[in-house]
Amino acid sequence: MPVQTNQSLSVDCAVFGFDGETLKVLLIERAAHRSLDRLKLPGSMILENETLPEAAYRVLEEATGLLKRDLYLKQMEIFSDPNRVSGEELEWINRKHGINTVRVVTVGFYALLKLDRRTTDYTTKKGAQWVPIDAIQRLAMDHKEILSSALGYLCREMQQSPVAFELLPKKFTIRALQRLFEAVLGIEIDNRNFRKKMLSSGFLLATGEKEERVAHKPAEYYTFDRNAYRRALKAKLKMGFIDNWRY
Amino acid sequence: MPVQTNQSLSVDCAVFGFDGETLKVLLIERAAHRSLDRLKLPGSMILENETLPEAAYRVLEEATGLLKRDLYLKQMEIFSDPNRVSGEELEWINRKHGINTVRVVTVGFYALLKLDRRTTDYTTKKGAQWVPIDAIQRLAMDHKEILSSALGYLCREMQQSPVAFELLPKKFTIRALQRLFEAVLGIEIDNRNFRKKMLSSGFLLATGEKEERVAHKPAEYYTFDRNAYRRALKAKLKMGFIDNWRY
DNA sequence: ACAAAAGTGTTCCTCTTACACCCATGA
DNA sequence: TCATGGGTGTAAGAGGAACACTTTTGT
């Protein structure tokens, strides 16, 4: 078999947002095509002279209007089945880009963002939609598989690093944080233990501000103390450096 | 910027082995080139009609003589800097393959194997070498970076799943297992606690066989009970399915 | 006054950590 | 008999899991 040279590389992004209740994913509607599924993940071919993360940020800016600094982006898996895009789907891509590729290998990314009014307005204007994770049926190409994979990554990462805060507004209640964990992990969490754990971490700062106009005891707003987290991480790494230079 | 179509995809593998003392990596020697570094990771361009893991297995079989069933392989990161291979290095690749690519994106894999006599014989015949991880200086292209990344992945994975056994012979002593953890993680481990933990996992089976011709109390050989591990994992997943359908 | 969600402590149990000596073998 | 590394138990502390009632607000 000869070396493959007439191939293309693409990025596809599973973009997650949280509205306080459910976890949602950003889906793009593509121009109707008889037998092809309409909804897909935001993605793009890689352009000359850009890295894969750069391509992903470009796609995300286009889809959400948000810049790098307002997005959390992570590379996950590569989908390299020679036939993952073929037949009508391959024609659709070649027509769309005016190229003639025989194979598209894609790199899956997942992205997290703070789902505020401005962002939802922007995405709906673009013809994209935020779909609850549980309501997604079929997607174009192998995008359903990419999405499942992304969800797995998110679950794992949320239990090991403070990515949850990327999905919440700057100020949030501990209950909102808890609901986010429950929505992503699909479990119920004891709120006493949850608060204890979160507050004892030392990474949450009470703002003194409280909810207003709610028909119950108003919850306090907290912020994530990223600096405290960084310091703690650094201390941990420094310790690790003593007895484990490889980290 | 136009869509990039004249690019190539490659795989590069960090192959780890353990000789009972130190963690080693398989390095290939390439034909001398004035200013280029001689040692590199085993790797290859991706061929038409093969997936990335298939390409990686092909590379590994060529380098070690081992088939898929005797290897543990895992995809890690993608290295997509447009200039990661350029100048002389790019010329070297184009000359070697008789192609004319302007860009090579590579996918890093890491592989684990049981380092026995047959394998070391095979690799040395091939002009490859097993180099202790601490003794590696410079490597071709960005292979040093790929290796560092692989080592990080290995450290993390070894603490979360039983990949350690991929690096040990079928029958091994608990001390050997401990030394492996110490070598990879670069830490010292209390052997009483280590034995307790390992034996209480229920995944180690005593064989009844002992070391022979050693100048001290002979250690017992154990095997990894992969079925017990699978059962435990399945049980855990089933539990998880009740309160967390997403795993 | 009532409905609705926020916030708060204690107990039990499990898991982790620290630590020092005897044992079986070959030389 | 000695040198070498294998193998063993216990106690104290930290962290996780289970569990029910009071508080504050809007209506």
Side-chain angles (χ1 to χ4, degrees):
Chain A
M1 271 189 292
V3 170
Q4 181 117 49
T5 51
N6 49 351
Q7 70 196 327
S8 306
L9 252 181
S10 65
V11 296
D12 285 301
C13 303
V15 189
F16 294 104
F18 181 64
D19 64 2
E21 287 293 326
T22 61
L23 187 67
K24 296 185 167 179
V25 179
L26 183 61
L27 297 180
I28 304 283
E29 203 155 337
R30 61 175 174 179
H33 276 263
R34 299 160 309 192
S35 62
L36 301 182
D37 285 297
R38 265 176 42 255
L39 292 173
K40 65 186 283 290
L41 298 177
S44 164
M45 293 292 144
I46 187 173
L47 305 183
E48 286 177 17
N49 210 33
E50 74 181 348
T51 65
L52 289 160
E54 281 163 7
Y57 279 120
R58 177 170 55 74
V59 165
L60 290 170
E61 185 183 346
E62 194 177 332
T64 65
L66 296 174
L67 297 176
K68 183 168 174 173
R69 64 160 195 281
D70 293 317
L71 291 164
Y72 176 88
L73 180 71
K74 191 122 184 189
Q75 193 178 97
M76 37 172 217
E77 235 169 293
I78 313 174
F79 297 83
S80 63
D81 184 329
N83 301 311
R84 63 168 285 276
V85 181
S86 58
E88 267 193 278
E89 291 282 15
L90 189 59
E91 283 170 37
W92 180 78
I93 285 178
N94 277 326
R95 206 162 44 235
K96 181 175 163 196
H97 292 94
I99 58 177
N100 186 29
T101 194
V102 300
R103 177 172 179 183
V104 183
V105 170
T106 200
V107 179
F109 283 81
Y110 73 95
L112 309 179
L113 53 77
K114 301 177 197 310
L115 197 54
D116 57 12
R117 190 62 200 277
R118 199 157 89 234
T119 306
T120 52
D121 284 355
Y122 188 97
T123 49
T124 42
K125 245 177 246 160
K126 283 266 176 181
Q129 21 186 309
W130 289 97
V131 184
I133 190 79
D134 295 338
I136 294 171
Q137 308 289 339
R138 294 158 50 86
L139 294 177
M141 297 174 265
D142 53 358
H143 285 194
K144 185 76 188 278
E145 194 188 334
I146 297 175
L147 177 58
S148 297
S149 181
L151 193 55
Y153 271 79
L154 176 59
C155 285
R156 259 166 281 146
E157 197 170 7
M158 221 166 84
Q159 294 172 70
Q160 293 176 350
S161 75
V163 289
F165 304 107
E166 309 293 337
L167 287 165
L168 292 172
K170 278 214 188 67
K171 296 175 183 181
F172 51 85
T173 65
I174 296 188
R175 276 332 246 255
L177 182 59
Q178 182 180 337
R179 273 194 292 267
L180 172 56
F181 272 91
E182 291 176 333
V184 174
L185 303 179
I187 55 175
E188 291 208 339
I189 301 174
D190 179 284
N191 70 9
R192 278 174 291 195
N193 293 335
F194 185 79
R195 296 186 129 261
K196 230 181 304 170
K197 196 166 173 174
M198 288 299 145
L199 290 170
S200 71
S201 74
F203 303 145
L204 293 189
L205 289 179
T207 61
E209 295 170 53
K210 306 207 163 187
E211 286 179 320
E212 285 170 16
R213 287 180 297 280
V214 288
H216 56 78
K217 179 170 176 177
E220 181 159 14
Y221 285 113
Y222 289 79
T223 57
F224 174 55
D225 187 347
R226 198 170 294 276
N227 287 328
Y229 176 72
R230 288 221 191 87
R231 278 196 302 276
L233 200 62
K234 215 167 171 179
K236 207 174 139 195
L237 286 171
K238 202 176 281 173
M239 296 280 293
F241 204 74
I242 293 167
D243 50 18
N244 180 1
W245 61 271
R246 255 172 219 146
Y247 268 112
Chain B
M1 269 189 293
V3 170
Q4 180 116 49
T5 52
N6 49 352
Q7 68 196 327
S8 305
L9 253 182
S10 65
V11 296
D12 285 301
C13 304
V15 189
F16 294 105
F18 181 65
D19 65 1
E21 287 294 326
T22 60
L23 187 68
K24 296 185 168 179
V25 179
L26 182 62
L27 296 180
I28 305 283
E29 201 154 340
R30 61 176 173 179
H33 277 263
R34 299 161 309 193
S35 61
L36 301 181
D37 285 296
R38 265 177 41 257
L39 293 173
K40 64 186 283 292
L41 298 176
S44 163
M45 292 292 144
I46 186 172
L47 305 183
E48 286 177 18
N49 210 33
E50 75 181 349
T51 66
L52 288 161
E54 282 163 6
Y57 279 120
R58 177 169 54 75
V59 165
L60 290 170
E61 185 183 345
E62 194 178 331
T64 65
L66 296 173
L67 298 175
K68 183 169 175 173
R69 64 160 195 280
D70 293 317
L71 291 164
Y72 177 86
L73 179 71
K74 191 120 184 188
Q75 192 179 97
M76 36 172 216
E77 236 169 294
I78 314 174
F79 297 83
S80 63
D81 184 330
N83 301 310
R84 62 169 285 277
V85 181
S86 59
E88 267 193 279
E89 291 282 15
L90 189 60
E91 282 170 37
W92 180 78
I93 285 178
N94 277 326
R95 205 162 45 235
K96 182 176 162 196
H97 293 92
I99 57 177
N100 186 28
T101 194
V102 299
R103 176 173 179 182
V104 183
V105 170
T106 200
V107 179
F109 283 80
Y110 73 95
L112 308 179
L113 53 75
K114 301 177 196 310
L115 197 52
D116 57 12
R117 190 61 199 277
R118 198 156 89 236
T119 307
T120 53
D121 284 356
Y122 188 97
T123 50
T124 43
K125 245 178 245 159
K126 284 267 175 177
Q129 22 186 310
W130 289 96
V131 184
I133 190 79
D134 295 337
I136 295 171
Q137 308 290 338
R138 295 158 49 86
L139 294 177
M141 298 175 264
D142 55 357
H143 286 193
K144 186 75 188 279
E145 194 188 334
I146 297 175
L147 177 57
S148 299
S149 181
L151 193 54
Y153 273 78
L154 176 58
C155 285
R156 258 166 283 146
E157 197 170 7
M158 221 166 83
Q159 295 172 69
Q160 294 176 349
S161 75
V163 290
F165 304 107
E166 309 293 337
L167 287 165
L168 293 173
K170 278 213 188 68
K171 296 176 183 181
F172 51 86
T173 65
I174 295 189
R175 275 333 247 250
L177 182 59
Q178 181 180 338
R179 274 194 291 267
L180 171 56
F181 271 91
E182 290 176 335
V184 174
L185 302 178
I187 55 174
E188 290 208 338
I189 301 174
D190 178 286
N191 70 9
R192 277 174 293 193
N193 294 337
F194 185 78
R195 299 185 126 262
K196 229 180 304 169
K197 197 165 173 176
M198 288 299 145
L199 291 171
S200 72
S201 74
F203 304 144
L204 293 188
L205 288 178
T207 61
E209 295 170 53
K210 306 208 163 189
E211 288 179 319
E212 284 170 17
R213 287 180 297 280
V214 288
H216 56 77
K217 180 171 174 178
E220 181 158 15
Y221 286 112
Y222 288 79
T223 57
F224 174 55
D225 186 347
R226 198 169 293 275
N227 287 328
Y229 176 72
R230 287 220 191 90
R231 278 195 301 276
L233 199 61
K234 216 167 171 178
K236 207 173 139 194
L237 286 173
K238 204 175 282 175
M239 296 281 294
F241 205 75
I242 293 167
D243 50 19
N244 180 0
W245 61 270
R246 254 172 221 146
Y247 269 112

Coordinates of all heavy atoms in Angstrom, one line a residue, chain A residues 180-241:
Chain A
L180 N -24.7 21.1 38.3 CA -23.9 20.8 37.2 C -23.3 19.4 37.3 O -23.3 18.6 36.3 CB -22.8 21.9 37.1 CG -21.8 21.7 36.0 CD1 -22.3 21.5 34.7 CD2 -20.8 22.8 36.0
F181 N -22.7 19.1 38.4 CA -22.1 17.8 38.6 C -23.1 16.7 38.4 O -22.9 15.7 37.8 CB -21.5 17.7 40.0 CG -20.0 18.1 40.0 CD1 -19.7 19.4 40.3 CD2 -19.0 17.2 39.8 CE1 -18.4 19.9 40.4 CE2 -17.7 17.7 39.8 CZ -17.4 19.0 40.1
E182 N -24.3 16.9 39.0 CA -25.3 15.9 38.9 C -25.8 15.7 37.4 O -26.0 14.6 36.9 CB -26.5 16.3 39.7 CG -26.2 16.2 41.2 CD -27.4 16.7 42.1 OE1 -28.2 17.5 41.7 OE2 -27.4 16.2 43.3
A183 N -25.8 16.9 36.7 CA -26.2 16.8 35.3 C -25.2 16.0 34.4 O -25.5 15.2 33.6 CB -26.5 18.2 34.7
V184 N -23.9 16.4 34.6 CA -22.9 15.8 33.8 C -22.7 14.3 34.2 O -22.6 13.5 33.3 CB -21.6 16.6 33.9 CG1 -20.5 15.9 33.2 CG2 -21.7 18.0 33.4
L185 N -22.6 14.0 35.5 CA -22.3 12.7 35.9 C -23.5 11.8 35.9 O -23.4 10.6 36.0 CB -21.6 12.7 37.2 CG -20.3 13.5 37.3 CD1 -19.7 13.5 38.7 CD2 -19.3 13.0 36.3
G186 N -24.7 12.4 35.9 CA -25.9 11.7 35.9 C -26.1 11.0 37.2 O -26.6 9.8 37.3
I187 N -25.7 11.6 38.3 CA -25.9 11.0 39.6 C -26.6 12.0 40.6 O -26.6 13.2 40.3 CB -24.6 10.5 40.3 CG1 -23.6 11.7 40.3 CG2 -23.9 9.4 39.5 CD1 -22.3 11.5 41.0
E188 N -27.0 11.5 41.7 CA -27.5 12.4 42.8 C -26.4 12.6 43.8 O -25.7 11.6 44.1 CB -28.7 11.9 43.4 CG -29.9 11.9 42.5 CD -31.2 12.1 43.3 OE1 -31.2 11.7 44.5 OE2 -32.2 12.5 42.7
I189 N -26.2 13.8 44.3 CA -25.2 14.0 45.3 C -25.8 14.6 46.6 O -26.6 15.5 46.5 CB -24.2 15.1 44.7 CG1 -23.6 14.5 43.4 CG2 -23.1 15.4 45.7 CD1 -22.7 15.5 42.7
D190 N -25.3 14.1 47.7 CA -25.7 14.6 49.0 C -25.2 16.1 49.2 O -24.0 16.3 49.1 CB -25.2 13.7 50.1 CG -25.5 14.3 51.5 OD1 -24.9 15.2 51.9 OD2 -26.4 13.7 52.1
N191 N -26.1 17.0 49.4 CA -25.6 18.4 49.4 C -24.8 18.8 50.6 O -24.0 19.7 50.5 CB -26.8 19.4 49.1 CG -27.7 19.5 50.3 OD1 -27.5 19.0 51.3 ND2 -28.8 20.2 50.0
R192 N -25.0 18.2 51.7 CA -24.2 18.5 52.9 C -22.7 18.1 52.6 O -21.8 18.9 52.8 CB -24.7 17.8 54.1 CG -25.8 18.5 54.8 CD -26.4 17.7 55.9 NE -27.1 16.5 55.4 CZ -27.9 15.8 56.1 NH1 -28.1 16.1 57.4 NH2 -28.5 14.8 55.6
N193 N -22.5 16.9 52.1 CA -21.2 16.4 51.8 C -20.6 17.2 50.7 O -19.4 17.5 50.7 CB -21.2 14.9 51.5 CG -21.6 14.1 52.7 OD1 -21.4 14.5 53.8 ND2 -22.1 12.9 52.4
F194 N -21.4 17.6 49.7 CA -20.9 18.3 48.6 C -20.4 19.7 49.0 O -19.3 20.1 48.7 CB -22.0 18.5 47.5 CG -21.5 19.1 46.3 CD1 -20.8 18.4 45.3 CD2 -21.8 20.5 46.0 CE1 -20.4 19.0 44.2 CE2 -21.4 21.1 44.9 CZ -20.7 20.4 43.9
R195 N -21.2 20.4 49.8 CA -20.7 21.7 50.3 C -19.4 21.6 51.1 O -18.5 22.4 50.9 CB -21.8 22.3 51.3 CG -23.1 22.6 50.7 CD -23.9 23.3 51.7 NE -24.5 24.4 51.1 CZ -24.0 25.6 51.2 NH1 -23.0 25.9 52.0 NH2 -24.6 26.6 50.6
K196 N -19.4 20.6 52.0 CA -18.3 20.4 52.8 C -17.0 20.3 52.0 O -16.0 21.0 52.1 CB -18.5 19.1 53.7 CG -18.2 19.3 55.1 CD -18.4 18.0 55.9 CE -19.8 17.4 55.6 NZ -19.9 16.0 56.1
K197 N -17.1 19.4 51.0 CA -16.0 19.1 50.1 C -15.6 20.4 49.4 O -14.4 20.7 49.3 CB -16.4 18.0 49.2 CG -15.2 17.3 48.5 CD -15.7 16.1 47.8 CE -14.6 15.4 47.0 NZ -15.0 14.1 46.5
M198 N -16.5 21.0 48.8 CA -16.2 22.2 47.9 C -15.6 23.3 48.8 O -14.6 23.9 48.4 CB -17.5 22.7 47.2 CG -17.9 21.8 46.1 SD -16.7 21.6 44.8 CE -17.0 19.9 44.3
L199 N -16.3 23.6 49.9 CA -15.8 24.7 50.7 C -14.4 24.4 51.4 O -13.6 25.3 51.5 CB -16.8 25.0 51.8 CG -18.1 25.7 51.2 CD1 -19.2 25.8 52.3 CD2 -17.8 27.0 50.6
S200 N -14.2 23.1 51.7 CA -12.9 22.8 52.4 C -11.8 22.8 51.4 O -10.6 22.8 51.7 CB -13.0 21.4 53.0 OG -13.1 20.4 52.1
S201 N -12.1 22.8 50.1 CA -11.0 22.8 49.1 C -10.3 24.1 49.1 O -9.1 24.2 48.8 CB -11.6 22.6 47.7 OG -12.3 23.8 47.2
G202 N -11.0 25.2 49.6 CA -10.3 26.5 49.7 C -10.3 27.2 48.3 O -9.7 28.3 48.2
F203 N -11.0 26.7 47.3 CA -11.0 27.4 46.0 C -12.2 28.2 45.8 O -12.4 28.7 44.7 CB -10.8 26.3 44.9 CG -9.6 25.5 45.1 CD1 -9.6 24.1 44.7 CD2 -8.4 26.0 45.6 CE1 -8.4 23.4 44.9 CE2 -7.3 25.3 45.8 CZ -7.3 23.9 45.4
L204 N -13.2 28.2 46.7 CA -14.4 29.0 46.5 C -14.3 30.2 47.4 O -14.0 30.1 48.6 CB -15.6 28.1 46.9 CG -15.9 27.0 45.9 CD1 -17.3 26.4 46.3 CD2 -15.9 27.4 44.5
L205 N -14.6 31.4 46.8 CA -14.7 32.6 47.6 C -16.1 33.1 47.7 O -16.8 33.2 46.7 CB -13.9 33.7 46.9 CG -12.3 33.5 46.9 CD1 -11.7 34.7 46.1 CD2 -11.8 33.5 48.3
A206 N -16.5 33.3 48.9 CA -17.9 33.9 49.1 C -17.8 35.3 48.7 O -16.9 36.1 49.0 CB -18.3 33.8 50.6
T207 N -18.9 35.8 48.0 CA -18.9 37.2 47.5 C -19.6 38.0 48.5 O -19.5 39.3 48.4 CB -19.6 37.3 46.1 OG1 -20.9 36.8 46.3 CG2 -18.9 36.4 45.1
G208 N -20.5 37.5 49.3 CA -21.3 38.3 50.2 C -22.7 38.6 49.5 O -23.6 38.9 50.1
E209 N -22.7 38.5 48.2 CA -23.9 38.7 47.4 C -24.9 37.5 47.5 O -24.4 36.4 47.6 CB -23.6 39.0 46.0 CG -22.8 40.3 45.8 CD -22.3 40.4 44.3 OE1 -23.2 40.3 43.4 OE2 -21.1 40.6 44.2
K210 N -26.2 37.8 47.5 CA -27.1 36.7 47.5 C -28.1 36.8 46.4 O -28.3 37.9 45.8 CB -27.9 36.8 48.9 CG -26.9 36.8 50.1 CD -27.6 36.2 51.3 CE -26.4 36.0 52.3 NZ -26.9 35.2 53.5
E211 N -28.8 35.7 46.2 CA -29.9 35.7 45.2 C -30.9 36.8 45.6 O -31.1 37.1 46.8 CB -30.5 34.4 45.2 CG -29.7 33.3 44.5 CD -30.4 31.9 44.5 OE1 -31.0 31.6 45.5 OE2 -30.4 31.2 43.5
E212 N -31.6 37.3 44.6 CA -32.7 38.2 45.0 C -34.0 37.8 44.3 O -33.9 37.1 43.2 CB -32.3 39.6 44.5 CG -31.3 40.3 45.4 CD -30.7 41.6 44.9 OE1 -31.3 42.1 43.9 OE2 -29.7 42.0 45.4
R213 N -35.1 38.2 44.8 CA -36.4 37.9 44.2 C -36.6 36.4 44.0 O -37.1 35.9 43.0 CB -36.6 38.6 42.9 CG -36.8 40.1 43.1 CD -37.0 40.8 41.7 NE -35.8 40.7 40.9 CZ -34.7 41.5 41.1 NH1 -34.7 42.4 42.0 NH2 -33.6 41.4 40.3
V214 N -36.1 35.5 44.9 CA -36.4 34.1 44.9 C -37.4 33.8 46.0 O -37.2 34.3 47.1 CB -35.2 33.2 44.9 CG1 -34.4 33.3 43.6 CG2 -34.3 33.6 46.1
A215 N -38.3 32.9 45.8 CA -39.3 32.6 46.8 C -38.8 31.5 47.8 O -39.5 30.6 48.1 CB -40.6 32.1 46.1
H216 N -37.6 31.7 48.3 CA -37.1 30.8 49.3 C -35.8 31.5 49.8 O -35.4 32.6 49.4 CB -36.8 29.5 48.7 CG -35.8 29.5 47.6 ND1 -34.5 29.7 47.7 CD2 -36.1 29.4 46.2 CE1 -33.9 29.7 46.5 NE2 -34.9 29.5 45.6
K217 N -35.2 30.9 50.8 CA -34.0 31.5 51.4 C -33.0 31.7 50.3 O -32.7 30.8 49.5 CB -33.4 30.5 52.4 CG -32.1 31.0 53.0 CD -31.7 30.1 54.2 CE -30.4 30.5 54.8 NZ -30.1 29.6 55.9
P218 N -32.5 32.9 50.1 CA -31.6 33.2 49.0 C -30.2 32.6 49.2 O -29.7 32.6 50.3 CB -31.5 34.7 49.0 CG -31.8 35.1 50.4 CD -32.8 34.1 50.9
A219 N -29.7 32.0 48.1 CA -28.4 31.4 48.2 C -27.3 32.4 48.0 O -27.5 33.4 47.3 CB -28.3 30.3 47.1
E220 N -26.2 32.1 48.6 CA -25.0 33.0 48.4 C -24.3 32.7 47.1 O -24.2 31.6 46.7 CB -24.1 32.9 49.6 CG -22.9 33.9 49.5 CD -22.2 34.2 50.8 OE1 -22.5 33.5 51.8 OE2 -21.4 35.1 50.9
Y221 N -23.7 33.8 46.5 CA -22.9 33.6 45.3 C -21.5 33.4 45.7 O -20.9 34.1 46.6 CB -23.1 34.8 44.4 CG -24.4 34.8 43.6 CD1 -25.3 35.8 43.9 CD2 -24.7 33.9 42.7 CE1 -26.5 35.9 43.2 CE2 -25.9 33.9 42.0 CZ -26.8 34.9 42.3 OH -28.0 34.9 41.6
Y222 N -20.8 32.5 45.0 CA -19.4 32.3 45.2 C -18.7 32.5 43.9 O -19.3 32.5 42.8 CB -19.1 30.9 45.6 CG -19.6 30.6 47.1 CD1 -20.9 30.4 47.4 CD2 -18.6 30.6 48.1 CE1 -21.3 30.2 48.7 CE2 -19.0 30.3 49.4 CZ -20.4 30.1 49.7 OH -20.7 29.9 51.0
T223 N -17.3 32.7 44.0 CA -16.5 32.7 42.8 C -15.4 31.7 42.9 O -15.1 31.3 44.1 CB -15.8 34.1 42.5 OG1 -15.1 34.4 43.7 CG2 -16.9 35.2 42.2
F224 N -14.9 31.2 41.8 CA -13.8 30.2 41.8 C -12.5 31.0 42.0 O -12.2 31.9 41.2 CB -13.8 29.4 40.6 CG -12.7 28.5 40.4 CD1 -12.4 27.6 41.4 CD2 -11.9 28.5 39.3 CE1 -11.3 26.7 41.3 CE2 -10.8 27.6 39.1 CZ -10.5 26.7 40.2
D225 N -11.7 30.6 43.0 CA -10.4 31.3 43.2 C -9.3 30.6 42.4 O -8.6 29.8 42.9 CB -10.1 31.3 44.7 CG -8.9 32.1 45.0 OD1 -8.2 32.5 44.1 OD2 -8.7 32.4 46.2
R226 N -9.2 31.0 41.2 CA -8.3 30.3 40.3 C -6.8 30.4 40.8 O -6.0 29.5 40.6 CB -8.4 30.9 38.8 CG -7.8 30.0 37.8 CD -8.2 30.5 36.4 NE -9.6 30.4 36.1 CZ -10.2 29.3 35.7 NH1 -9.5 28.2 35.5 NH2 -11.5 29.3 35.5
N227 N -6.5 31.6 41.4 CA -5.2 31.7 41.9 C -4.8 30.7 43.0 O -3.8 30.2 43.1 CB -4.9 33.1 42.3 CG -4.8 34.1 41.2 OD1 -4.3 33.7 40.1 ND2 -5.3 35.3 41.3
A228 N -5.8 30.6 43.9 CA -5.6 29.6 45.0 C -5.4 28.2 44.4 O -4.5 27.5 44.9 CB -6.8 29.6 46.0
Y229 N -6.2 27.9 43.4 CA -6.0 26.6 42.8 C -4.7 26.5 42.2 O -4.0 25.5 42.3 CB -7.1 26.4 41.7 CG -6.9 25.1 41.0 CD1 -7.2 23.9 41.6 CD2 -6.5 25.1 39.7 CE1 -7.0 22.7 41.0 CE2 -6.3 23.9 39.0 CZ -6.6 22.7 39.7 OH -6.4 21.5 39.0
R230 N -4.2 27.5 41.5 CA -2.9 27.4 40.8 C -1.8 27.3 41.9 O -0.9 26.5 41.7 CB -2.6 28.7 40.0 CG -3.4 28.8 38.8 CD -2.6 29.4 37.6 NE -3.5 29.7 36.5 CZ -4.2 30.8 36.3 NH1 -4.0 31.8 37.2 NH2 -5.0 31.0 35.3
R231 N -1.9 28.0 43.0 CA -0.9 27.9 44.0 C -0.9 26.5 44.6 O 0.2 25.9 44.8 CB -1.2 28.9 45.2 CG -0.8 30.3 44.9 CD -0.8 31.1 46.2 NE -2.1 31.2 46.8 CZ -3.0 32.1 46.5 NH1 -2.8 32.9 45.6 NH2 -4.2 32.0 47.2
A232 N -2.1 25.9 44.8 CA -2.2 24.6 45.4 C -1.5 23.6 44.4 O -0.8 22.7 44.8 CB -3.6 24.2 45.7
L233 N -1.8 23.8 43.1 CA -1.3 22.8 42.1 C 0.2 22.9 42.1 O 0.9 21.9 42.0 CB -1.9 23.2 40.8 CG -1.8 22.2 39.7 CD1 -2.7 21.0 40.1 CD2 -2.3 22.7 38.4
K234 N 0.7 24.2 42.1 CA 2.1 24.4 42.1 C 2.8 23.8 43.3 O 3.9 23.1 43.2 CB 2.4 25.9 42.1 CG 3.6 26.4 41.3 CD 3.5 27.9 41.1 CE 4.7 28.5 40.5 NZ 4.6 29.9 40.3
A235 N 2.2 23.9 44.5 CA 2.8 23.3 45.7 C 2.9 21.8 45.5 O 3.9 21.2 45.9 CB 1.9 23.7 46.9
K236 N 1.8 21.3 45.0 CA 1.7 19.8 44.8 C 2.8 19.4 43.8 O 3.5 18.4 44.1 CB 0.3 19.5 44.2 CG -0.1 18.1 44.6 CD -1.6 17.9 44.1 CE -1.8 16.5 43.5 NZ -3.0 16.4 42.7
L237 N 3.0 20.2 42.8 CA 4.0 19.8 41.8 C 5.4 19.9 42.4 O 6.3 19.1 42.1 CB 3.9 20.7 40.6 CG 2.7 20.4 39.6 CD1 2.6 21.5 38.6 CD2 2.9 19.1 39.0
K238 N 5.6 20.9 43.2 CA 6.9 21.1 43.8 C 7.2 20.0 44.7 O 8.3 19.4 44.7 CB 6.9 22.5 44.6 CG 8.3 23.0 44.7 CD 8.3 24.4 45.4 CE 7.9 25.5 44.4 NZ 7.7 26.8 45.1
M239 N 6.3 19.6 45.5 CA 6.4 18.4 46.3 C 6.8 17.2 45.5 O 7.7 16.5 45.7 CB 5.1 18.0 47.0 CG 4.6 19.1 48.0 SD 5.5 18.9 49.6 CE 4.9 17.3 50.1
G240 N 6.0 17.1 44.4 CA 6.2 16.0 43.5 C 7.6 16.0 42.9 O 8.2 15.0 42.5
F241 N 8.2 17.2 42.8 CA 9.5 17.4 42.2 C 10.6 16.8 43.1 O 11.6 16.3 42.6 CB 9.8 18.8 41.9 CG 10.8 19.1 40.8 CD1 10.4 18.9 39.5 CD2 12.1 19.4 41.1 CE1 11.3 19.1 38.5 CE2 13.0 19.6 40.1 CZ 12.6 19.4 38.8

